[in-house]
Amino acid sequence: MREHVNDPFVQRAKAEGWRSRAAFKLLEMAERDRLLAAGMTVVDLGAAPGGWSQVAAGRVGKGGRVLALDLLEMAPLDGVDFIRGDFREEAVLVPLAARLAGRPADLVISDMAPNLSGIAVSDQARAMHLAELALEFALAHLKPGGNFLVKVFQGAGFDAFRKAMAAAFAKVLARKPEASRGRSKEVYLLGLGLRPRQRPE
């Protein structure tokens, strides 16, 4: 708790009005890799409390769309259309498809992580499973040439997951933003340029 309270990114987030310190991770990566632009359609998986959605909405502007999904409730954000529920279920996918209105996403982002049990093997497996689900979602909802940014943890399953992304995207890059705590095994994989053949019929 002391580390969190004294964290400079936590303090900056409060001072600058961001929902969470995670906003700075996306800000850095979006700037470096030019991920967000006016008019884009962005889907944010596991969005609560809304730090990433907040950044995305500010960058895509009124001409763009940000669709945020989470199992948890999320306080409303200007420019963000929130759907509560499991993104694997029809009860969420149907309203999502309706809101996309036939327009696939330009960018899918996921900062999801499991609730940690403290059992390293189990936590790693659950984290990789979430990343795999996010990739599956991205392949179904991204436009050809679209991009996918996902949080993963280095360990078992990481190399196989990166290979799966490399098969789906023209380029895959690893990113460790400054706001990511140094002792954390988290890393972000960025898939650039979805190969057209990867989208299901």
Side-chain angles (χ1 to χ4, degrees):
M1 180 61 72
R2 185 179 299 110
E3 179 188 39
H4 179 78
V5 171
N6 293 329
D7 186 311
F9 288 103
V10 171
Q11 295 172 350
R12 276 186 63 192
K14 290 180 179 179
E16 297 175 20
W18 296 107
R19 283 279 176 91
S20 70
R21 70 187 302 284
F24 296 109
K25 300 177 186 179
L26 183 57
L27 284 165
E28 179 183 329
M29 292 185 286
E31 186 70 25
R32 178 175 181 177
D33 295 296
R34 301 179 181 177
L35 297 180
L36 294 165
M40 289 178 64
T41 296
V42 179
V43 178
D44 183 5
L45 302 177
W52 277 26
S53 289
Q54 190 178 15
V55 170
R59 295 298 180 92
V60 304
K62 292 185 178 179
R65 300 200 65 189
V66 176
L67 300 171
L69 292 75
D70 203 293
L71 287 168
L72 303 175
E73 191 54 73
M74 189 174 92
L77 272 169
D78 287 343
V80 178
D81 195 349
F82 177 68
I83 303 172
R84 184 178 182 183
D86 188 331
F87 67 83
R88 296 169 294 173
E89 296 179 355
E90 286 297 305
V92 170
L93 292 175
V94 169
L96 173 67
R99 293 176 204 192
L100 286 171
R103 179 182 175 184
D106 297 290
L107 174 67
V108 171
I109 55 179
S110 171
D111 195 30
M112 289 189 294
N115 292 322
L116 299 179
S117 66
I119 303 171
V121 173
S122 174
D123 289 340
Q124 176 67 13
R126 291 165 63 205
M128 294 310 304
H129 181 58
L130 285 178
E132 289 162 1
L133 292 173
L135 175 59
E136 183 180 315
F137 178 94
L139 296 185
H141 295 281
L142 275 175
K143 70 176 186 181
N147 301 325
F148 172 53
L149 179 65
V150 60
K151 176 159 69 181
V152 293
F153 293 86
Q154 297 177 67
F158 176 86
D159 290 339
F161 180 77
R162 183 166 185 162
K163 287 179 181 178
M165 282 189 62
F169 293 89
K171 184 182 293 186
V172 177
L173 304 170
R175 296 288 183 247
K176 179 77 170 177
E178 186 182 353
S180 179
R181 292 188 173 102
R183 60 180 171 75
S184 172
K185 291 185 177 181
E186 75 175 14
V187 64
Y188 291 86
L189 290 180
L190 173 60
L192 295 173
L194 179 68
R195 302 181 195 277
R197 62 184 175 81
Q198 291 296 325
R199 291 198 71 229
E201 296 295 328

